[in-house]
């Protein structure tokens, strides 16, 4: 429970949006509590905060992230939704912080947007690590790896009958239900393509996905001379989490070491975009702009929720998301309030529409 964690870790403050719930917490002496609608934002901009680690789901973290960057805080994020829906708002703030650092000292490690918005996902941490010391102008391709999930070798007919308990059996990683389902559909890779566009300021055509079932190569960067750099390691999130906190340094850590002689061969293959429609749906949303990606995020959240609850089939998830992207795309870059309105409207629609109405 939160109370147990507080007694173990003795944080300076605990925050919840629910006033009654935070009031009922048993907190240790010296731990303050915040009970406000903007509790996360208050936490993110505190004077005693240097780095904000974002581990929420959904767009609830968007306002706190923007406020943190505006206040000069570093943001390390495992939240895909923030960049997928609002990369056009987040990354300009990171670039401004990096430019200020570069003006004072061009060799400062903080003179890079990635020092201000630090990816925690293993794939994007891998790309970030491969890019340190490199010129983005020398990059020809970013290659995101995917395990392929539990349905990598299933036929389309078999996938149509997939149940939640099938989709939750990830072969390599232990994760929460939402990200595990996204890994089964490969929607997580589609979202990571959009994240890559914003994090590394590259066009979508320079971002590829390959299936790597062993999950040892976490992603790769191809350079204009044909050279490839990759980051490898056992499937263990402690490495990317630690790197995001200790950058630009590395420190000894608890993660197990990869013995290459015990893990061979390593294989790679192209994803089947007919069976895994989520990747092209997400890529098309990214190319359509932030309004479409905001709809994508909201619809995917609801699709996964409905699939787990039994009111939507496995294949119906892609149909729901595709319909939402088409229905709610806008022809401009939405501001923050508009993004939140799109999110709410899409969720309300996605909860109600019957699967039989989807293409």
């Amino acid at each position: 429970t939160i109370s147990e964690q507080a007694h173990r870790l003795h944080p300076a403050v605990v925050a919840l949006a629910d006033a009654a719930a935070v009031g009922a917490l048993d907190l240790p002496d010296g731990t303050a509590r915040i009970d406000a609608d903007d509790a996360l934002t208050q936490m993110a901009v505190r004077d005693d905060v240097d780095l904000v680690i974002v581990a929420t789901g959904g767009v609830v973290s968007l306002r706190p992230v923007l406020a943190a960057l505006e206040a000069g805080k570093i943001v390390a994020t495992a939240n895909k939704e923030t960049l997928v829906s609002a990369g056009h708002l987040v990354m300009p703030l990171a670039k401004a912080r990096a430019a200020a650092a570069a003006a004072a000292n061009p060799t400062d490690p903080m003179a890079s947007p990635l020092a201000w918005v630090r990816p925690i996902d293993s794939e994007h941490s891998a790309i970030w690590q491969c890019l340190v010391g490199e010129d983005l102008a020398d990059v020809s391709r970013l290659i995101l790896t995917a395990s392929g999930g539990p349905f990598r070798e299933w036929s389309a007919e078999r996938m149509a009958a997939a149940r939640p308990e099938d989709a939750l059996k990830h072969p390599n990683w232990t994760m929460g239900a939402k990200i595990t389902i996204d890994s089964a559909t490969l929607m997580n890779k589609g979202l990571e393509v959009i994240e890559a566009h914003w994090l590394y300021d590259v066009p979508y055509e320079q971002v590829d996905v390959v299936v790597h079932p062993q999950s040892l190569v976490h992603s790769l960067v191809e350079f204009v001379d044909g050279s490839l750099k990759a980051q490898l390691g056992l499937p263990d999130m402690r490495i990317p989490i630690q790197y995001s906190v200790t950058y630009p340094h590395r420190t000894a850590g608890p993660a197990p070491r990869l013995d290459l002689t015990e893990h061979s061969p390593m294989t790679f293959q192209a994803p089947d975009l007919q069976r895994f429609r989520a990747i092209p749906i997400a890529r098309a949303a990214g190319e359509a702009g932030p309004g479409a990606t905001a709809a994508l995020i909201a619809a995917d959240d609801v699709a996964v929720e409905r699939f787990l609850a039994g009111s939507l089939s496995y294949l119906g998830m892609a149909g729901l998301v595709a319909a939402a992207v088409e229905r709610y795309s806008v022809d401009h870059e939405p501001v923050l309030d508009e993004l939140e309105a799109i999110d709410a409207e899409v969720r309300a629609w996605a909860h109600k529409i019957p699967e039989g109405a989807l293409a």
Side-chain angles (χ1 to χ4, degrees), residues 71-155:
K73 315 295 186 183
I74 298 166
V75 173
T77 181
N79 173 286
K80 297 180 186 299
E81 291 88 345
T82 300
L83 284 170
V84 170
S85 65
H88 64 297
L89 302 179
V90 173
M91 292 313 295
L93 294 175
K95 290 177 181 179
R97 288 292 172 191
N105 178 6
T107 64
D108 187 340
M110 299 305 295
S112 163
L114 287 167
W116 292 94
V117 176
R118 303 178 180 183
I120 290 178
D121 273 357
S122 60
E123 297 84 357
H124 283 306
S125 177
I127 291 175
W128 178 27
Q129 293 179 57
C130 290
L131 289 175
V132 171
E134 302 285 357
D135 189 336
L136 277 175
D138 295 332
V139 173
S140 63
R141 231 180 4 142
L142 305 178
I143 305 171
L144 297 162
T145 56
S147 70
F151 303 141
R152 180 172 57 89
E153 297 181 349
W154 285 36
S155 67

Side-chain angles (χ1 to χ4, degrees), residues 203-252:
Y204 284 103
E205 58 266 25
Q206 287 181 236
V207 185
D208 286 341
V209 174
V210 299
V211 175
H212 168 52
Q214 297 81 20
S215 294
L216 300 175
V217 176
H218 297 300
S219 279
L220 311 93
V221 176
E222 181 183 85
F223 296 91
V224 292
D225 61 359
S227 174
L228 281 171
K229 285 175 71 172
Q231 188 266 333
L232 286 74
L234 292 172
D236 192 310
M237 285 303 299
R238 288 176 292 185
I239 292 175
I241 292 170
Q242 179 174 306
Y243 187 75
S244 73
V245 173
T246 63
Y247 174 85
H249 308 292
R250 293 185 186 269
T251 61

Side-chain angles (χ1 to χ4, degrees), residues 62 66 69 85-94 198 334-336 339:
L62 180 51
L66 295 174
L69 290 169
S85 65
H88 64 297
L89 302 179
V90 173
M91 292 313 295
L93 294 175
W198 291 113
V335 297
L336 179 55
L339 284 175

Side-chain angles (χ1 to χ4, degrees), residues 83-84 87 140-142 189-198 201-209 279 282-290 293 296:
L83 284 170
V84 170
S140 63
R141 231 180 4 142
L142 305 178
K189 291 305 129 182
L191 301 181
E192 287 165 15
V193 168
I194 300 170
E195 285 184 287
H197 166 74
W198 291 113
D201 199 18
V202 297
Y204 284 103
E205 58 266 25
Q206 287 181 236
V207 185
D208 286 341
V209 174
I279 294 177
R283 190 182 288 273
E287 292 172 345
T293 54
L296 175 84

Side-chain angles (χ1 to χ4, degrees), residues 151 154-163 184 275-276 314-315:
F151 303 141
W154 285 36
S155 67
E157 293 75 19
R158 189 181 176 195
M159 287 168 66
R163 302 164 300 170
R275 287 187 299 131
F276 295 99
Y314 175 81
L315 296 182

